[in-house]
């Protein structure tokens, strides 16, 4: 065990780490007045200046990339082939890139630049992770070289109301509704300015980096209208890739990741 920039780091001793490529470090983040104790997984790649920051989905944690079999099978080979480093933060769990999670990720990216020379940082994720990638890119566009997002909610205020209206159909929607409320310290009615600041739709002009988006048009957890509305705002974007999957559900965009990643990295060059 050793210390890296104030974070305790050790090799991740987990079955999912076997055959995952380069050794994986688990960094423990100490608690403070601002954050509860947390953790992040870090795996260097052969291309030391380019890093993919994987943001997990609702109900999962910072190890989702390695422990969820379909994501591990589809995404890890593509990331390893690209040679990028991987940073996979937990960010407090179901945080939906609320203010605390955004501050923590901002600090982690500073750490990544200072300790590993990261100069190109790509945010990738699906569902809550994809939503979070767009939000962070709006908040800190100067820190993000590109975004790859699958089935995202592009406006949390309207999505919060949609979850509330449809919670009787799927229990997970009520869980998401409650998680967003907790992460943002209130509702879009009580905290409109915070929700506005964290809306990719309302801040689309800040999304100037290459962006790849994929969404199934039969998604019952995050409706495709969320992506369609953002695409409507980004019509003049010079580096935008949008794929809509006919009849696709919430998980169907997973299969588009390898091609979208290749397109994104080529766009950065």
């Amino acid at each position: 065990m050793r210390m890296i920039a104030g974070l305790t780091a050790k090799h991740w001793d987990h079955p999912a780490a076997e055959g995952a490529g380069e050794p994986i470090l688990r960094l423990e983040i100490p608690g403070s007045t601002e954050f509860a104790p947390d953790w992040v997984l870090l795996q260097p790649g052969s291309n030391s200046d380019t890093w993919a920051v994987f943001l997990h989905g609702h109900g999962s944690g910072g190890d989702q990339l390695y422990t969820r079999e379909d994501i591990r099978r589809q995404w890890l080979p593509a990331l390893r082939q690209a040679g990028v480093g991987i940073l996979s933060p937990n960010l407090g769990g179901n945080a939906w890139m609320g203010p605390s999670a955004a501050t923590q990720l901002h600090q982690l990216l500073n750490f990544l630049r200072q300790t590993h020379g990261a100069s190109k940082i790509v945010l990738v994720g699906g569902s809550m992770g994809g939503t979070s990638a767009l939000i962070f890119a709006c908040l800190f566009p100067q820190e993000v070289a590109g975004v790859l997002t699958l089935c995202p909610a592009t406006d949390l205020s309207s999505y919060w109301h949609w979850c509330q209206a449809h919670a009787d159909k799927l229990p997970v929607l009520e869980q998401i509704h409650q998680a967003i409320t907790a992460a943002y310290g209130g509702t879009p009615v009580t905290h409109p300015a915070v929700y506005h600041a964290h809306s990719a739709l309302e801040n689309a002009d800040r999304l100037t980096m290459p962006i790849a988006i994929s969404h199934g048009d039969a998604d019952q957890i995050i409706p495709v209208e969320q992506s369609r509305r953002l695409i409507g705002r980004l019509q003049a974007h010079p580096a935008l890739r949008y794929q809509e999957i006919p009849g696709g559900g919430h998980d169907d965009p997973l299969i588009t990741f390898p091609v979208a990643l290749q397109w994104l990295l080529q766009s950065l060059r």
Side-chain angles (χ1 to χ4, degrees):
M1 185 179 293
R2 56 197 176 94
M3 297 296 293
I4 299 180
L7 306 182
T8 304
K10 60 181 179 180
H11 285 287
W12 189 40
D13 185 18
H14 190 284
E18 297 179 7
E22 295 292 327
I24 304 170
L25 292 177
R26 175 174 166 131
L27 282 62
E28 302 292 338
I29 304 172
S32 66
T33 56
E34 190 173 12
F35 304 120
D38 211 342
W39 54 276
V40 59
L41 299 180
L42 183 150
Q43 184 178 23
S46 57
N47 185 358
S48 61
D49 69 337
T50 304
W51 284 73
V53 176
F54 174 83
L55 301 174
H56 66 83
H58 181 92
S60 298
D63 59 357
Q64 185 186 42
L65 175 63
Y66 302 98
T67 58
R68 177 169 157 174
E69 181 55 33
D70 55 350
I71 294 179
R72 173 187 172 90
R73 184 176 63 252
Q74 300 272 5
W75 295 32
L76 265 184
L79 290 167
R80 286 209 302 269
Q81 184 176 4
V84 300
I86 302 171
L87 186 77
S88 185
N90 190 55
L91 296 179
N94 296 326
W96 287 89
M97 201 50 72
S100 180
T103 299
Q104 185 183 98
L105 183 56
H106 175 59
Q107 295 179 2
L108 285 171
L109 296 193
N110 284 337
F111 157 81
L112 198 59
R113 283 189 289 268
Q114 293 167 7
T115 60
H116 288 77
S119 60
K120 296 178 182 177
I121 294 174
V122 176
L123 304 182
V124 302
S127 193
M128 183 186 82
T131 302
S132 299
L134 287 171
I135 292 172
F136 189 86
C138 285
L139 293 172
F140 301 99
Q142 71 282 1
E143 298 189 8
V144 180
V147 176
L148 196 171
T149 174
L150 310 180
C151 51
T154 63
D155 179 64
L156 279 186
S157 178
S158 61
Y159 181 56
W160 184 92
H161 286 288
W162 185 88
C163 287
Q164 186 180 50
H166 294 81
D168 59 331
K169 300 177 182 178
L170 287 174
V172 70
L173 297 181
E174 177 59 28
Q175 297 168 16
I176 291 172
H177 179 259
Q178 294 179 7
I180 294 173
T181 303
Y184 284 78
T187 73
V189 177
T190 61
H191 293 65
V194 181
Y195 280 82
H196 184 277
H198 288 241
S199 168
L201 183 67
E202 297 299 330
N203 298 280
D205 60 324
R206 297 173 67 83
L207 295 172
T208 58
M209 67 291 294
I211 300 174
I213 302 175
S214 181
H215 213 132
D217 70 2
D219 193 330
Q220 296 184 28
I221 296 178
I222 299 181
V224 69
E225 285 74 20
Q226 287 283 324
S227 283
R228 288 174 177 172
R229 290 174 68 194
L230 180 61
I231 294 301
R233 297 275 179 94
L234 297 176
Q235 287 299 315
H237 195 289
L240 175 66
R241 182 184 191 273
Y242 178 58
Q243 181 176 11
E244 193 167 298
I245 303 174
H250 192 60
D251 289 338
D252 285 281
L254 288 174
I255 62 173
T256 68
F257 179 83
V259 173
L261 177 67
Q262 183 180 25
W263 173 87
L264 186 62
L265 294 178
Q266 287 176 343
S267 298
L268 298 187
R269 303 190 188 102

